[in-house]
Amino acid sequence: EKYNIQPTQENYIAVINSFLSIQQLDQAEKFVETEISSPTTEIWKSLIWGCKMLKDSERALIIARKAIRQDPSDVSVINLLS
């Protein structure tokens, strides 16, 4: 806030990927839900990818629903689930 610098989507995804690289899916999801005021579909997709990587298909479906609600035209969300 002091320097009025806003994180970009790429910054957020880098943080999420850092959590996922150490298998902290819970922390990655918590970060998205508490630190990002309006997660983009790309951010949700990075979490879905992490769910797949860590074999949490139930959570991937829950997160996919959030991504689809945000952008129903983004078919890549469905592709990530397969």
Side-chain angles (χ1 to χ4, degrees):
E1 292 181 23
K2 181 178 179 180
Y3 298 103
N4 197 29
I5 298 172
Q6 299 298 317
T8 65
Q9 173 177 280
E10 289 77 18
N11 297 132
Y12 288 134
I13 290 173
V15 172
I16 293 164
N17 288 340
S18 295
F19 282 125
L20 296 174
S21 71
I22 57 172
Q23 300 184 358
Q24 294 296 315
L25 183 54
D26 290 336
Q27 289 299 106
E29 186 175 13
K30 182 178 177 183
F31 173 76
V32 170
E33 292 176 351
T34 61
E35 299 298 324
I36 304 174
S37 59
S38 298
T40 63
T41 305
E42 294 302 314
I43 288 172
W44 290 124
K45 288 191 293 188
S46 69
L47 270 180
I48 295 166
W49 175 81
C51 291
K52 283 191 68 168
M53 183 179 75
L54 299 173
K55 300 181 184 348
D56 191 338
S57 57
E58 186 174 323
R59 191 183 315 205
L61 284 172
I62 293 167
I63 294 168
R65 286 186 193 109
K66 294 177 185 181
I68 291 168
R69 269 195 305 268
Q70 185 170 0
D71 185 0
S73 67
D74 190 345
V75 296
S76 65
V77 172
I78 302 303
N79 292 338
L80 274 173
L81 293 173
S82 58

